[in-house]
């Protein structure tokens, strides 16, 4: 508590939002909380040290989602490049399924997923990013894996998803896919 880290590219003009005084070259008022700064630096080092291993672990889980969703759920489009992507994100679009209904059904089963692209998550407008990619901007699911996501979590998601999608399609009168 009491310290934050702001990375500013060298050469970038930056003006502190706080009133300046003669200490710390006018960057911050008052005395720096040195123990908190050292703790923040140690935390940053620790997070950076295992970032590559965590990215590899999550990328393997995303690969599993990409492969199984495409193979086991009819009329689904997995979005994005299979290799040149963020290691923890996967988006797929389900034809003939209302996106909000799918999100709610997944939520009822304990899966916290999103829809659209993250850059439009605070609006009700369709994702301009997904539209620019030429994919469905409705009926899609964005799965963001995190440090505590396990292989068992992904397996449960992959086991339940086909039935959830089939059930929603049946409710909408879309059968025989």
């Amino acid at each position: 508590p009491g310290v934050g880290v702001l990375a500013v590219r060298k050469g970038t003009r930056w003006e502190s939002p706080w009133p300046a005084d003669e200490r710390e070259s006018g960057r911050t008022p008052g005395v720096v909380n040195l123990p908190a700064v050292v703790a923040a630096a140690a935390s940053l080092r620790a997070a950076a040290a295992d970032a590559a291993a965590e990215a590899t672990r999550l990328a393997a889980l995303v690969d599993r989602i990409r492969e199984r969703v495409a193979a086991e759920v009819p009329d689904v489009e997995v979005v994005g490049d299979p290799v040149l992507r963020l290691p923890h994100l996967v988006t797929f679009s389900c034809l003939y399924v209302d996106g909000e209904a799918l999100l709610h059904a997944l939520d009822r089963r304990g899966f916290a997923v999103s829809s659209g692209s993250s850059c439009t998550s605070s609006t009700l407008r369709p994702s301009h990013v997904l539209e620019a990619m030429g994919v469905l901007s409705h009926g899609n699911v964005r799965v963001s894996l995190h440090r505590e996501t396990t292989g068992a979590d992904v397996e449960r998601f992959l086991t339940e998803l086909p039935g959830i999608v089939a059930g929603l399609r049946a409710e909408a009168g879309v059968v025989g896919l």
Side-chain angles (χ1 to χ4, degrees), residues 78-133:
V78 180
V79 177
D81 192 274
V83 178
L84 302 175
R85 59 176 171 77
L86 292 172
H88 67 288
L89 289 175
V90 61
T91 298
F92 54 89
S93 300
C94 299
L95 288 174
Y96 319 117
V97 175
D98 177 67
E100 287 302 308
L102 181 54
L103 291 183
H104 290 296
L106 288 166
D107 183 59
R108 285 191 298 274
R109 301 278 180 91
F111 301 109
V113 297
S114 305
S115 181
S117 65
S118 58
C119 56
T120 57
S121 62
S122 62
T123 70
L124 294 176
R125 291 187 308 240
S127 167
H128 63 279
V129 172
L130 294 175
E131 287 177 350
M133 292 171 68

Side-chain angles (χ1 to χ4, degrees), residues 2-83:
V3 70
V5 176
L6 174 66
V8 179
R9 183 179 22 218
K10 188 175 183 173
T12 300
R13 291 172 40 176
W14 182 74
E15 185 176 323
S16 174
W18 301 287
D21 64 16
E22 71 280 359
R23 294 172 286 227
E24 300 301 322
S25 303
R27 289 185 297 236
T28 184
V31 179
V32 174
N33 180 350
L34 192 56
V37 170
V38 171
S43 295
L44 185 57
R45 266 193 220 107
D50 83 338
E54 185 64 8
T56 300
R57 185 184 77 80
L58 293 177
L61 294 175
V62 166
D63 288 342
R64 188 184 324 168
I65 294 170
R66 290 178 64 88
E67 292 166 11
R68 295 259 311 271
V69 165
E72 296 175 15
V73 181
D75 292 311
V76 167
E77 178 183 12
V78 180
V79 177
D81 192 274
V83 178

Side-chain angles (χ1 to χ4, degrees), residues 143-168:
V143 179
S144 303
L145 305 183
H146 55 82
R147 175 173 302 285
E148 296 176 10
T149 303
T150 66
D153 295 330
V154 170
E155 189 59 37
R156 187 172 77 83
F157 176 79
L158 292 170
T159 299
E160 294 192 32
L161 180 68
I164 293 170
V165 172
L168 291 171

